[in-house]
Amino acid sequence: MNPKVKLGAVAMLAVAAMTTTSIVSATSATAAPAKTGGRTITADALGFTRPSPEGQKRAVALADKAIAAQDGNIAKSEDDVFALDKATAVGGAQYLTYNRTYRGVPVYGGDVIVATDGAGLKVASLETTQKAELSLDTKPSVSASKAASKARTLVAKVDSVSTPKLVVHALAESGAPRLAWEVVVSGSSKTAPSVQHVYVDALNGSILSNWDAVRMGTGQGFYNGNVTITTSSGYTMRDGTRSGLACGGQNGSAYTKSTDSWGNGQGTNLETACVDAYYAAQKEWDMLKDWFNYNGFNGRGTGYPARVGLNDVNAFWNGSYTNFGHNQANNQQATPMDVVGHEYGHAIYQFAGSGGGGSSNEDGGLNESTGDIFGALLEHYANNPNDPPDYQVGEEVNLVGQGPIRYMYNPSQHSGDPNCYSSSIPNTEVHAAAGPQNHWFYLVAEGTNPGGGKPTSPVCSGPSSLTGIGIQKAGQIYLASLQLRGAGNRTHAQARSQTLTAAKQQFPNSCTEFNAVKAAWTAVNVPAGSNEATCTISNPNDYSIAVNPTAGTVQAGSSVTATVNASLVSGNAQSVSLTATGAPSGATVSFSPASINTGQSSTVTINTTANTPSGTYTININGSAASGSRSTAYKLTVTGGGQGQDDFSVSVNPSSATVAPGGSTNATLATAVTSGNAQSVSLSASGAPAGATVSFSPASVTAGQSSTVSIATSSSTPAGTYTITLTGAGTSATHGTSFTLTVSGGQGTTTWQEWKQYSAGDTVSYNGVNYRCLQGHTSLPGWEPPNVPALWQRL
């Protein structure tokens, strides 16, 4: 293995050809088919035969006849029409789904699924959820706009509402079939994204049913710990809210299972690898949106799937998906956050500006650096305590057993990679050629002596002390510069020019950011070009916003209005977009118009519903313009509304502890009122190991108060890790939270030895690091704790 292994080689894209990028500067190995008993396993060897094209045609004809003959109870009426929607094969069977319309109106719940054998010779079943024949008028009494307004009430923060579609709602569990409007409302709840499919009765305006396309699964990653990931219905690792994002194995299919709990936290487990990759990709998408107002990885709302299980010490982006292998020790998958961010950074580079990529080493180095930049940005945005943000590349995966493979603050720390630009860069291997721009980015973000435990960074020329502007601003400027990138090869000179232009565009009323970008390029020896941009600020554009009146009272179910004024403070007039935050449940805020110029005004209307809780609320009215954001407050008092159901939450801090047998630990269990009024909450615990007790002081609190949790073990308590559920039972609801208790082994911490029998819970020291045994075994040569995470957990 070449010791100069490189991460995430860039996809060199030309108009007519694409070169796959890899994590190392060598061709990726292709995994051989799995073998067992001396024979190659194929799908056909697993006991079924894939349907042939003739069998597929026979199945369609057979299903058509079965529906025409109404084989089975499909509640078919004279006005029903069926059309084949899709045909799939699973194992040795075929499944054909038919959509139903009634008098030309789609029927929700009226689909018919016909199952046949693989040869298409026999109907296995014919199913539908619709139980009654349809006989109803298809003329609505409720307008589409009223249905949309009703549907909006189910989502706390609404991003978009689809055009309502008239359907017949025929789900048996919802009663007799009804004419309805189907409305898709996208947005988010207080804690998670939401895509609600809402069915509003077209005759009386009530909600017949609704379902959320978003499934918030949980996953246990090797690098990121226990995380929440967005999955799709049917428990599939495919993201319905971030178009194109998915994760699965080498066949390209997203992982699917019977529960929404994923991974086991082990470094060799591929499902765990997908938890890490999928979580990181979702976080990178969110970072692009939240930090940079950028829509997806291509700027147009598109994401790309990830694959794990690559049989190579590598990871790559190939122009349409990312692919992740393992480290050289083959005990960890190559899916830490910065590696995932790096590979998706190549996608960002590919689709930004004129798109595509260049073929030169210099362009390749800039592309590699782009991946490193987005890996660092992702770590800082996610701020996951299991992978603290830094400016090293690949430090968690230890790809070839030599630690990080790049150091952005001092590239020469790895194998003498160049810190500075020189005439040799265009002929330097692309991963090493990432050095100058990586160094530039660190200097822009952090400066030479950032403090706070962050490393210092040298300069190649110019002033010896530079001050950073923060990683978010640095990332914003760099991403904006990529939109200026033309087709073909990019050079460092172009990168300097484009980032300076971007700094002026992104921060038009300040020269601080421009000067930091300029000084950092000089510090890495990228000289100024001819006709380089300059920055001077005189009489900058500025504005203010105000609302009149500043407060109002409304009866629940009614509305109130006020006037928002945008005033010119200095400079020239500019467009100001208006939004609002802080409205109570059931209330909506709208502006007419939603965008004004400074010197103009807009009418803000706050609509409430009968269920809007009584109380006084601060609604922030926000203005967004090129020169920055401004806000003003409006006090809304609601009378005669509902109180909301009494509810509370519980949490514990700390949420884990390690004790020796006979030891004890304490934690604080906190409660908080989430809606309505405070209530009495009784506390209890379950899941404690044998010989351990859990007590609360006090054992009952009023929501909003806290209690001390004491967990005591005995000398006989078995070693191991236990999840103790702490439960709060109130008068209107019951909630719980988890505490992880680890009881160490009875041997105490000793130095790891070969050929020694270890039991689960034993703790050892190896090279100054402590580890806990996860399962009993005899230690063999080469089974040192860092090499076998399936057996040892680092403490």
Side-chain angles (χ1 to χ4, degrees):
M1 172 65 67
N2 183 343
K4 199 176 182 70
V5 178
K6 302 299 181 179
L7 172 64
V10 60
M12 298 298 186
L13 298 175
V15 174
M18 178 182 298
T19 301
T20 300
T21 70
S22 64
I23 198 171
V24 296
S25 47
T27 304
S28 302
T30 302
K35 299 258 185 191
T36 182
R39 66 188 179 92
T40 299
I41 296 179
T42 65
D44 292 340
L46 298 177
F48 61 85
T49 302
R50 292 186 178 91
S52 65
E54 293 75 18
Q56 294 170 1
K57 292 178 182 178
R58 286 194 295 266
V60 172
L62 187 65
D64 286 345
K65 292 180 181 178
I67 290 178
Q70 195 169 338
D71 290 341
N73 182 17
I74 61 172
K76 178 182 174 184
S77 75
E78 294 180 354
D79 294 313
D80 286 350
V81 175
F82 296 87
L84 180 64
D85 179 47
K86 62 180 180 180
T88 59
V90 179
Q94 300 188 67
Y95 301 86
L96 302 98
T97 301
Y98 286 78
N99 291 337
R100 183 195 312 238
T101 58
Y102 172 77
R103 298 182 182 176
V105 178
V107 181
Y108 173 58
D111 290 356
V112 176
I113 301 173
V114 183
T116 75
D117 62 356
L121 299 175
K122 180 181 179 181
V123 172
S125 65
L126 191 138
E127 304 285 342
T128 184
T129 57
Q130 181 179 322
K131 300 303 179 185
E133 290 187 17
L134 300 178
S135 179
L136 68 162
D137 189 5
T138 56
K139 182 178 181 180
S141 300
V142 175
S143 67
S145 61
K146 288 185 177 180
S149 296
K150 183 68 174 180
R152 290 176 64 99
T153 63
L154 294 187
V155 178
K157 180 184 177 183
V158 176
D159 293 329
S160 64
V161 179
S162 71
T163 301
K165 181 176 72 173
L166 196 64
V167 300
V168 175
H169 189 285
L171 289 182
E173 62 265 30
S174 300
R178 300 280 292 181
L179 191 67
W181 291 103
E182 179 186 14
V183 187
V184 181
V185 184
S186 300
S188 60
S189 66
K190 293 181 179 179
T191 59
S194 180
V195 180
Q196 288 280 350
H197 291 247
V198 187
Y199 297 87
V200 180
D201 194 306
L203 301 181
N204 61 28
S206 64
I207 294 178
L208 294 172
S209 69
N210 62 284
W211 60 277
D212 198 337
V214 177
R215 295 291 186 269
M216 298 305 294
T218 59
Q220 185 178 9
F222 178 76
Y223 299 102
N224 300 313
N226 293 320
V227 295
T228 299
I229 54 178
T230 303
T231 57
S232 57
S233 59
Y235 307 130
T236 299
M237 207 173 275
R238 184 179 302 281
D239 194 330
T241 65
R242 302 172 182 87
S243 176
L245 276 189
C247 191
Q250 291 299 292
N251 63 2
S253 297
Y255 282 153
T256 298
K257 62 189 302 185
S258 60
T259 68
D260 218 3
S261 180
W262 303 83
N264 62 7
Q266 300 301 309
T268 55
N269 180 266
L270 294 185
E271 189 176 291
T272 298
C274 252
V275 170
D276 285 321
Y278 191 55
Y279 165 80
Q282 290 180 337
K283 283 295 183 183
E284 189 164 6
W285 178 293
D286 293 347
M287 176 199 70
L288 292 168
K289 176 183 177 182
D290 295 344
W291 274 11
F292 309 132
N293 195 31
Y294 199 69
N295 188 13
F297 294 110
N298 67 351
R300 296 184 293 275
T302 300
Y304 304 94
R307 298 183 183 185
V308 298
L310 176 69
N311 188 22
D312 198 2
V313 183
N314 210 339
F316 63 75
W317 155 257
N318 75 344
S320 58
Y321 62 83
T322 57
N323 207 344
F324 301 94
H326 54 77
N327 66 0
Q328 186 167 286
N330 203 11
N331 60 6
Q332 295 176 211
Q333 300 300 305
T335 53
M337 194 174 300
D338 58 352
V339 173
V340 177
H342 175 105
E343 299 307 336
Y344 279 104
H346 289 316
I348 295 169
Y349 189 89
Q350 175 181 329
F351 295 110
S354 297
S359 58
S360 72
N361 277 25
E362 185 170 7
D363 182 273
L366 291 167
N367 198 335
E368 282 304 317
S369 170
T370 299
D372 292 347
I373 287 170
F374 281 101
L377 284 164
L378 173 57
E379 284 190 346
H380 283 77
Y381 172 83
N383 198 27
N384 187 308
N386 294 293
D387 187 359
D390 55 43
Y391 291 89
Q392 299 175 1
V393 182
E395 74 281 357
E396 296 286 335
V397 69
N398 195 21
L399 193 68
V400 292
Q402 299 176 5
I405 59 174
R406 283 191 287 282
Y407 298 84
M408 298 178 72
Y409 48 85
N410 186 14
S412 64
Q413 191 169 333
H414 178 267
S415 302
D417 288 352
N419 281 7
C420 315
Y421 181 79
S422 70
S423 59
S424 65
I425 290 295
N427 298 312
T428 301
E429 191 273 332
V430 294
H431 300 85
Q437 185 172 260
N438 278 354
H439 190 191
W440 165 84
F441 185 81
Y442 185 83
L443 292 172
V444 174
E446 305 293 348
T448 51
N449 299 281
K454 296 179 180 179
T456 60
S457 184
V459 298
C460 308
S461 61
S464 61
S465 179
L466 302 179
T467 300
I469 59 175
I471 190 170
Q472 184 172 344
K473 280 187 175 182
Q476 182 176 340
I477 291 168
Y478 186 69
L479 179 60
S481 78
L482 294 180
Q483 312 314 306
L484 305 173
R485 184 173 68 88
N489 292 314
R490 194 185 198 204
T491 66
H492 284 77
Q494 291 171 337
R496 173 173 172 137
S497 174
Q498 291 159 2
T499 52
L500 287 171
T501 300
K504 290 188 66 174
Q505 294 171 343
Q506 295 297 308
F507 302 99
N509 298 311
S510 171
C511 287
T512 300
E513 296 77 13
F514 178 93
N515 291 334
V517 169
K518 182 177 180 179
W521 280 123
T522 299
V524 298
N525 283 350
V526 176
S530 59
N531 301 317
E532 183 170 272
T534 59
C535 183
T536 56
I537 297 295
S538 60
N539 198 23
N541 297 337
D542 197 8
Y543 72 102
S544 65
I545 62 171
V547 61
N548 185 34
T550 58
T553 300
V554 63
Q555 177 77 18
S558 300
S559 62
V560 64
T561 62
T563 300
V564 179
N565 297 296
S567 301
L568 180 65
V569 174
S570 62
N572 299 315
Q574 55 189 312
S575 177
V576 181
S577 298
L578 300 173
T579 58
T581 56
S585 173
T588 59
V589 183
S590 60
F591 297 89
S592 180
S595 181
I596 57 177
N597 290 325
T598 47
Q600 297 179 336
S601 62
S602 174
T603 299
V604 56
T605 301
I606 304 172
N607 289 295
T608 65
T609 66
N611 294 325
T612 300
S614 296
T616 299
Y617 307 91
T618 298
I619 298 177
N620 291 314
I621 297 175
N622 309 306
S624 178
S627 65
S629 299
R630 306 288 184 269
S631 65
T632 188
Y634 180 87
K635 290 285 187 181
L636 175 70
T637 300
V638 180
T639 62
Q643 293 297 319
Q645 180 181 349
D646 296 343
D647 205 357
F648 65 98
S649 64
V650 297
S651 60
V652 64
N653 185 36
S655 59
S656 64
T658 298
V659 299
S664 62
T665 186
N666 294 328
T668 300
L669 187 143
T671 63
V673 177
T674 57
S675 63
N677 298 313
Q679 57 188 297
S680 178
V681 180
S682 298
L683 305 176
S684 61
S686 60
T693 59
V694 182
S695 61
F696 299 86
S697 180
S700 180
V701 298
T702 299
Q705 298 177 339
S706 60
S707 174
T708 298
V709 186
S710 298
I711 304 174
T713 64
S714 66
S715 59
S716 62
T717 300
T721 299
Y722 306 89
T723 299
I724 299 176
T725 300
L726 307 176
T727 302
T731 54
S732 67
T734 298
H735 298 289
T737 188
S738 296
F739 183 92
T740 301
L741 175 70
T742 299
V743 181
S744 60
Q747 294 184 17
T749 301
T750 60
T751 301
W752 181 86
Q753 302 174 38
E754 294 180 355
W755 303 107
K756 181 178 175 63
Q757 177 66 41
Y758 288 103
S759 301
D762 289 345
T763 57
V764 300
S765 174
Y766 182 80
N767 286 345
V769 179
N770 291 337
Y771 297 85
R772 177 178 295 105
C773 181
L774 300 176
Q775 64 185 54
H777 68 282
T778 298
S779 58
L780 301 177
W783 284 21
E784 292 84 356
N787 296 337
V788 280
L791 300 177
W792 294 98
Q793 178 186 37
R794 180 170 178 168
L795 299 179

